[in-house]
Amino acid sequence: MSDTVNPAVIRRADYAAPAFLIDSVSLEFDLVPERTIVTNTMRLRRNPDAAAARLELMGEALEFVSAAIDGKTLPASAVRAHEHGLTIEDVPDAFTLTIESACNPGANTTLSGLYVSSGNFFTQCEAEGFRRITYFLDRPDVMTTFTVTLRADKTAYPVLLSNGNLIEQGDLPDGRHFAKWEDPFKKPSYLFALVAGKLVALEERIRTGSGKEKLLQVWVEPHDLDKTRHAMDSLINSIRWDEERFGLELDLDRFMIVAVSDFNMGAMENKGLNIFNTKYVLANQETATDTDFGNIEAVVGHEYFHNWTGNRVTCRDWFQLSLKEGLTVFRDQEFSADMQGGATDEAARAVKRIDDVRVLRQMQFAEDAGPMAHPVRPESYVEINNFYTLTVYEKGAEVVRMYQTLFGRDGFRRGMDLYFKRHDGQAVTCDDFRNAMADANGRDLAQFERWYSQAGTPRVSVRTAYDAASQRYSVTLSQGYGEAAPAARETQKGPLLIPFAIGLIDRAGRDIPLRLEGEAAANGTTRVIELTEQEQTFTFVDVKEPPLPSLLRNFSAPVIVEYDYTNDELAFLLAHDSDPFNRWEAGQRLATRELLALAARAQAGEPLTFDDSTVAAFSRVLTDETLSPAFRELALVLPSEAYLAEQMAEADPAAVHAARQFARKRLARALKNEWLAIYERHATPGAYEPTPQAAGHRALKNLALAYLAELDDPADAVRLANAQYEHANNMTDRAAALAVLLAASAAAGAGVAQGALDDFYRRFEQEPLVIDKWFALQATQRGSAGRPVIEIVRTLMAHPAFSLRNPNRARSLIFSFCAANPAQFHAADGSGYAFWAEQVVALDALNPQVAARLTRSLEMWRRYTPALRERMREALERVATQVKSRDVREIVEKALA
Ligand code: B3K
Ligand code: ZN
C-alpha cells in the first residue's frame, strides 16, 4: 500500500475532507460464529468539497467476497482487496455499492469489531473497529443513516439488537429468525452496534420532559438480572439530570444498555444501544462495593450524556477526541457531584471533586511528564486507541470545567446551547466548542486555545507580600512548565489563561471579604483571578491583618501550585479553610512533605521520625464530628506511593513504601483509641443502604480498621476483621475485611487471611466480578520478605479461574500487580519486570489494546533510580524485539526513544 493512504504516523495537520459521502447504508448480517456474512449496501456520492480521488474503503481482517455497483457485479480487475481495505478505481459520481464480505467473530480475541463472548455476539467499533465488520469510510466525519437486518439461529440467539428502532421481526426457515432495526439519526460508523444472544432485560417505561414515553432496557445474561436495578436507576437519574441541567432530552423511543463480560474498556456509547463492561452494570449489595455503585452511576451517566455530546454532535477527526470525551467526563463529574450533594452542598460535592483531582494528579500529571505526553488535542498518533488517555479524558474535563469557572453555570449553559444550535448533526472540532463558549459569553478566548495545544503540567508559583501601613496584600503569580519532559516541551508556546480561585483567611480562621485594588467595594470571599501573562501581581486592599492565602480553591485549574507554606500554616488551613477541597489539600501537602522527608531518610539509612504536630493535625480532623465521615476518610488517606514516587527527583518505590508504612504505623499507634472508637461509632447496622452518607460511614470505619492492622500487634484488627467478614451484609465491608486480613498477614503470618480468602472464593465462585476482586486483593497485598507477591501472582496465573483472554481478569491480576503494587512490582531483582515482559508479549498476540495499556506500566522508566532504570530498559528492549502490534510498538518505541 502506498504510504499516503496508510501512513505510519497520522497527523492532525494532514486532515482532508472525505472524497466520498454516504447518504445511507443498509447492512445485512448472517450471524454465524465461525463465518459471519455481511452484505453492505451504500448510497455513495462524491464530496463536492473534496479533491477527486479513487474510492478507498477501509477494511481489516475481512474476507472479500464480491462487490457490485448499481447492481452490476464488478470484475476482479476493477476492485482490489488488500490488508487495509478495498480500492475501486473508476466509480460514477453517485451510485449504489453493494459489498459482500465475511469475518470470523468466534476467533476474534482483539474484542474490536464483531466478536463472541460467552456464546453471544457483540460489537465494539470505536475508534476503528467498524472496518473489521465491513468495508467502509470508517472515519467520524462520514455520518449516515443505518438500516440493519440481523439473521441468526433462533434458539441460540433469541435476542437480536441494533441501534435505533425495531421496525420488523419474524421467523425464517431452518430455525432462524430476523430483526430489522432503523436508526433515524445520522451517525458515524464508530457508533454502530449489534448484539445477538441469550439475554434478558430489566425494563422500565418513563416519560421525558416533553411528555413522550420511552422504553428503557438493561440487557444481561439471565443469572444477572438481580444485579440490574442500580444501573436502571442510574440511567433514569441521568436522563432527568440532562434535562434539568442542560435542557437535553432523550431523542430515541428506546434506550438500551447491554452488559458483556469480555470488554476492553468501561463502556461504549453506541447510539441507543450502549454496550457495557459487566463491571459497570452489575451490582447488588452482596457483590458490589460502594465504589462499584458510584462507578456504575458515573459510567451509565457518562455513556448516556454522550448521546448529545459525542453522538448528536461528534468529532471531525480523532484528534478532536477530547471534544466529546473531556466534555462528557466533565458532565459525568457534575452529575455525580449533584447526586452526592445536590447543586449546593459544597462539602458533599467536594468529596467527588477530591476523588477526581486525585486521579488527575496521580495519573495524568505523570502521563504529562513522560514519553506519552501529548496535548488535550494531540498533533499526531500511530495508533489512535493509545490516545484514549487521562490527558484527553481527565485533563480535557478540567479544560471544560475552566469555562464554567470563568463564566459561571449560567454562562456555561449559554455556551452549550449555542454549541448545539450551531452544530447539531455535525462532526466538529475543539475550536468549534471554544468558539461557542466565547461567542455566547462575549469573550475572546484565543489565548485559551493553548490549553488544547500545549502538553505538560503548568506550574504557578506564588509570592505574597503584606504591607501593614497601607493594609494591602499583594499576590504575585508566575507561570511556567518547570522541567517538562521533551515530548511536552516541544508543544509549549506561551502563557495560558489560568483561572485562579483564591481566598484570604484571617487569624481566627475566617474568610476575609475580598476587594481588589481599583474596586469600589469588597465582593465575596473567593475570587477567580485570571492569570494571562507570564507574571502578574494582584493587590487586595482593606486587609487589616496579614492573611493566610487559600490558593487555587476547588482546584480551579489543572496546574501545580508552588508556595512555601509552613507546617503550621498547613495545619491551620487543614483545620479552618472554608473551601473543603483546600482543606483536604492542606492535609495532603503536609503529609507529602513529611513523607518525602521520611523517604529521603530511608534512602540514607537514617532513623525514621514523624513530627508530633502533624499527628496532632490529623487527629483533629479525624475527631472533628462537624466534618462528614466521607471527608474525614479522604483526609486521613495518605498520598499514594505512586504520587509520592512521582514527586522525587529519582523515584525510589522501596523508600517511598518504607516511609509511607512508617507513617501509617505511627498514625495507627498514636491514634489507636481514636481508631477503635471510630470503628464502633461508624458501624452501619441494619439493612444495607447505598447512599453517599452510609457509604461515608463505611469508608471511615474501614479506614480505621486498616490503620489498626498496621499495629505491631494487629490482634484487634484481626479479631474485628474476622467478625466483620463473617457478618457483613454487603461487599464493601466483606472486601475491606479481607483486605485488612491480608495486610495483617504481613505481621501475623499468611495464616490469618487464608480462611477468609478460601471462603470468599467458594462463596462467589459463580460471580466473575467478585472473583476479579479476589485476584486483585491478592495482587495488591503488601507481601512479606518470606513470600514476595510476585510468587503469589505467578501461582495465581495457573489458577483454573484465571484467563488472559478476559480483560477484566487480566487486569485484576496482572495490572493490579504491575500498576497498583509499586513496592512489589519494582523489586530490586527485576522479577516484576520479567513478569511484565512475559505478559505484554502474550497479550500482544491476543489483544493489542489491552497489551498496550499494560505496556505503559514501564514508560516512566527514566524517572527511577539507576539500578531500577537499567533493569526496566532491558525489559523494554526485550519486549521491543518480540511484539508485533502497532499498539504496543508505539508505546515501547516512544518509551525507549
Ligand atoms: N468512547 C468509549 C471509549 C472507546 C475506546 C476505544 N479504544 C467510551 C467512552 O469514553 O465513553
Ligand atoms: Zn466517553
Side-chain angles (χ1 to χ4, degrees), residues 174-436:
D174 299 331
R176 293 169 69 77
H177 71 148
F178 79 97
K180 188 168 179 183
W181 292 81
E182 193 175 67
D183 184 349
F185 294 94
K186 280 183 161 222
K187 66 169 177 289
S189 50
Y190 83 86
L191 291 173
F192 165 83
L194 78 77
V195 171
K198 287 196 186 97
L199 299 167
V200 295
L202 172 68
E203 282 193 0
E204 195 102 336
R205 278 169 210 278
I206 61 159
R207 253 175 224 293
T208 51
S210 66
K212 293 200 198 77
E213 194 183 87
K214 312 281 179 179
L215 172 62
L216 310 180
Q217 296 176 316
V218 179
W219 291 95
V220 295
E221 289 184 36
H223 56 94
D224 286 327
L225 198 56
D226 61 341
K227 302 180 208 81
T228 50
R229 189 65 246 172
H230 179 64
M232 177 63 85
D233 290 341
S234 301
L235 177 60
I236 294 169
N237 289 336
S238 305
I239 294 171
R240 302 272 178 249
W241 183 86
D242 219 9
E243 288 186 2
E244 274 166 35
R245 179 83 179 260
F246 289 107
L248 299 172
E249 191 174 343
L250 173 57
D251 54 6
L252 287 162
D253 298 338
R254 153 199 300 246
F255 191 89
M256 299 171 275
I257 287 177
V258 185
V260 55
S261 53
D262 294 290
F263 205 64
N264 283 345
M265 63 269 174
M268 179 63 212
E269 70 264 25
N270 317 300
K271 185 77 187 186
L273 180 58
N274 289 358
I275 297 182
F276 272 60
N277 188 325
T278 45
K279 184 174 164 62
Y280 296 105
V281 176
L282 304 180
N284 64 32
Q285 69 187 67
E286 312 290 334
T287 62
T289 62
D290 294 329
T291 305
D292 295 325
F293 275 85
N295 288 341
I296 290 168
E297 178 179 84
V299 178
V300 167
H302 180 97
E303 306 311 331
Y304 176 73
F305 303 143
H306 267 316
N307 190 49
W308 280 92
T309 51
N311 301 5
R312 286 288 286 252
V313 183
T314 194
C315 303
R316 186 193 71 172
D317 54 73
W318 291 122
F319 296 102
Q320 317 299 329
L321 184 57
S322 198
L323 172 79
K324 74 176 177 82
E325 294 305 347
L327 176 53
T328 305
V329 171
F330 168 73
R331 277 153 54 69
D332 86 53
Q333 290 177 346
E334 288 289 279
F335 166 62
S336 292
D338 284 349
M339 297 302 292
Q340 293 244 331
T344 50
D345 181 347
E346 290 307 325
R349 295 177 62 85
V351 168
K352 169 68 177 153
R353 184 73 185 129
I354 290 166
D355 267 334
D356 293 336
V357 174
R358 210 156 45 171
V359 170
L360 181 85
R361 280 211 289 227
Q362 206 169 117
M363 308 182 36
Q364 194 279 326
F365 281 20
E367 179 168 275
D368 239 347
M372 273 291 287
H374 55 275
V376 164
R377 185 192 57 206
E379 291 299 335
S380 69
Y381 58 77
V382 172
E383 170 51 61
I384 184 56
N385 285 317
N386 285 335
F387 284 80
Y388 286 73
T389 56
L390 289 143
T391 300
V392 166
Y393 275 67
E394 314 303 322
K395 185 175 181 179
E398 294 299 320
V399 170
V400 173
R401 181 177 295 276
M402 285 190 283
Y403 294 114
Q404 181 171 279
T405 303
L406 289 167
F407 304 136
R409 278 194 198 180
D410 293 343
F412 186 78
R413 171 68 192 268
R414 279 194 297 278
M416 289 285 278
D417 290 350
L418 184 59
Y419 174 64
F420 289 115
K421 189 162 164 236
R422 284 180 178 170
H423 301 299
D424 189 14
Q426 299 173 8
V428 305
T429 67
C430 297
D431 290 331
D432 293 317
F433 185 78
R434 180 170 48 85
N435 290 336

Side-chain angles (χ1 to χ4, degrees), residues 551-846:
L551 304 167
L552 203 74
R553 281 187 158 171
N554 204 34
F555 200 71
S556 62
V559 302
I560 295 167
V561 175
E562 294 171 338
Y563 181 69
D564 280 326
Y565 287 112
T566 65
N567 278 7
D568 286 346
E569 287 172 338
L570 289 173
F572 191 81
L573 288 170
L574 176 58
H576 297 292
D577 200 325
S578 68
D579 183 67
F581 177 86
N582 264 6
R583 219 173 150 175
W584 170 81
E585 173 72 349
Q588 294 296 298
R589 275 181 184 254
L590 189 56
T592 301
R593 180 180 295 175
E594 288 295 309
L595 287 161
L596 290 176
L598 276 173
R601 286 199 284 275
Q603 281 183 309
E606 290 165 15
L608 305 186
T609 57
F610 198 76
D611 190 18
D612 280 338
S613 64
T614 304
V615 175
F618 281 105
S619 164
R620 278 195 296 277
V621 175
L622 179 60
T623 52
D624 183 346
E625 292 290 331
T626 67
L627 292 170
S628 75
F631 181 85
R632 279 185 276 165
E633 192 267 343
L634 288 170
L636 269 296
V637 172
L638 297 176
S640 72
E641 292 182 17
Y643 177 76
L644 293 166
E646 169 68 19
Q647 309 307 305
M648 299 176 82
E650 278 184 345
D652 183 344
V656 163
H657 182 71
R660 195 169 182 276
Q661 278 311 114
F662 178 84
R664 281 172 62 84
K665 277 183 185 302
R666 178 80 167 77
L667 286 169
R669 223 176 312 125
L671 305 176
K672 178 178 174 188
N673 293 331
E674 285 84 345
W675 291 124
L676 283 166
I678 291 272
Y679 185 81
E680 300 304 332
R681 188 162 340 116
H682 293 277
T684 50
Y688 172 81
E689 283 179 279
T691 60
Q693 292 72 26
H697 287 294
R698 279 187 288 275
L700 184 58
K701 175 195 70 176
N702 287 324
L703 181 76
L705 192 54
Y707 267 105
L708 290 167
E710 301 292 352
L711 294 170
D712 290 331
D713 176 7
D716 282 332
V718 169
R719 177 177 49 80
L720 293 171
N722 272 321
Q724 177 169 320
Y725 179 87
E726 216 170 294
H727 300 122
N729 68 353
N730 65 83
M731 179 50 74
T732 305
D733 283 341
R734 202 183 296 279
L738 180 55
V740 162
L741 291 171
L742 283 164
S745 62
V752 297
Q754 203 55 52
L757 210 47
D758 294 344
D759 176 83
F760 194 91
Y761 188 83
R762 275 196 304 274
R763 204 184 272 259
F764 297 110
E765 209 168 351
Q766 303 305 323
E767 298 288 351
L769 295 171
V770 184
I771 296 304
D772 289 339
K773 296 183 197 301
W774 184 79
F775 279 107
L777 283 168
Q778 295 181 79
T780 51
Q781 69 187 303
R782 195 175 303 147
S784 60
R787 188 134 196 246
V789 179
I790 182 69
E791 284 178 20
I792 297 167
V793 170
R794 284 196 180 274
T795 308
L796 287 171
M797 292 288 294
H799 192 283
F802 184 77
S803 160
L804 206 54
R805 281 169 195 256
N806 175 256
N808 285 355
R809 195 53 53 85
R811 284 186 279 255
S812 74
L813 184 57
I814 302 170
F815 287 53
S816 293
F817 178 70
C818 296
N821 196 346
Q824 292 288 318
F825 176 60
H826 294 283
D829 62 4
S831 53
Y833 308 149
F835 173 74
W836 167 88
E838 286 166 35
Q839 304 314 320
V840 167
V841 172
L843 279 166
D844 179 64
L846 285 174

Side-chain angles (χ1 to χ4, degrees), residues 465-474 504-508 510-515 520-522 539-548:
Y466 180 66
D467 182 51
S470 62
Q471 302 199 329
R472 290 155 65 91
Y473 184 70
S474 67
L504 303 179
I505 298 173
D506 72 13
R507 247 181 243 122
R510 286 177 310 232
D511 274 328
I512 298 174
L514 299 180
R515 179 175 162 208
T539 304
F540 294 94
V541 296
D542 289 343
V543 184
K544 307 215 161 33
E545 55 177 280
L548 186 57

